[in-house]
């Protein structure tokens, strides 16, 4: 069973992005295990910290290394991804030569009440990830417009068509993570 490190780009208690992450976790419960990174514990990125890195940063980098796959769940702020996620990407990717992101399979999803459902934010994010030498899942994309009641308090997707769409995404992501992991293991063994 793949372990997925989920990075939710919102600290808000009633975050709709947290809710989307939980819905994906519930849908994929028989296929993967989610671990949630505590992005609120990370300080603002500061390159001076590497001589004595904060414990939260060391723990975060260890979580990345232990994960089979990474999932970024982003809100959209002014058509851009959440700063919380960009901060986390910086901590995971430094110091130079010791990035924890290299070779990790990664996907992005996100939700907003707006009609384009974080498409603009994810477009920025998806341009960044290959520069970190991560393996980005191109398809399927999830630009999810939140509507009241679509994901209930138990994180069940109430609309059948939407549930089937997300379930397909869950399958594809799980397959992608397995494929990329097997490919890298084969390359190391060769
Ligand atoms: C500073 C700020 C900028 C926002 N900009 C956008 C935007 O560009 N597009 C959009 O669809 N929603 C935008 N929103 C609305 C967010 O999608 C909405 O607040 C959402 O609930 C945030 O995600 P969360 O519930 O996971 O915290 C913005 C919200 C804030 C606070």
């Amino acid at each position: 069973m793949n372990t997925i490190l989920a990075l939710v780009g919102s600290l808000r208690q009633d975050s709709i992005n947290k809710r989307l992450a939980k819905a994906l976790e519930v849908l994929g419960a028989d296929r993967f295990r989610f671990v949630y990174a505590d992005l609120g514990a990370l300080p603002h990125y500061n390159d001076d910290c590497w001589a004595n890195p904060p414990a939260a940063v060391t723990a975060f980098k260890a979580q990345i290394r232990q994960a089979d796959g990474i999932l970024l769940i982003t809100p959209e702020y002014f058509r851009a991804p959440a700063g919380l996620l960009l901060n986390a990407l910086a901590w995971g990717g430094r110091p130079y030569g010791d990035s924890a992101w290299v070779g990790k399979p990664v996907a992005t999803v996100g939700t907003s009440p707006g009609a384009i459902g974080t498409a603009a934010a994810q477009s920025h994010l998806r341009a960044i990830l290959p520069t970190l030498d991560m393996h980005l899942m191109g398809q399927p994309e999830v630009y999810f417009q939140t509507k009241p009641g679509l994901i209930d308090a138990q994180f069940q997707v109430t609309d059948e068509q939407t549930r089937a769409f997300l379930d397909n995404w869950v399958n594809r992501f799980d397959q992608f993570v397995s494929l990329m992991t097997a490919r890298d293991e084969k390359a190391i063994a060769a």
Side-chain angles (χ1 to χ4, degrees), residues 21-105:
K22 295 295 285 182
L24 294 172
E25 181 186 5
V26 168
L27 276 172
D30 58 343
R31 283 155 285 186
F32 46 55
R33 187 177 76 92
F34 266 33
V35 173
Y36 288 85
D38 184 4
L39 301 190
L42 296 174
H44 289 159
Y45 186 79
N46 182 343
D47 219 31
D48 294 340
C49 287
W50 290 116
N52 187 17
V57 170
T58 308
F60 177 57
K61 288 191 74 171
Q63 275 187 321
I64 299 168
R65 290 199 158 105
Q66 282 156 16
D68 299 302
I70 310 292
L71 177 60
L72 304 180
I73 305 104
T74 190
E76 182 167 288
Y77 296 143
F78 306 131
R79 300 286 182 259
L84 202 60
L85 289 177
L86 300 180
N87 189 52
L89 288 173
W91 280 120
R94 283 293 188 266
Y96 187 78
D98 190 33
S99 169
W101 300 121
V102 175
K104 291 287 173 187

Side-chain angles (χ1 to χ4, degrees), residues 10 12 14-18 75-79 111-114:
S10 173
R12 215 165 65 79
D14 294 329
S15 160
I16 55 178
N17 284 279
K18 272 187 205 161
E76 182 167 288
Y77 296 143
F78 306 131
R79 300 286 182 259
T111 186
S112 85

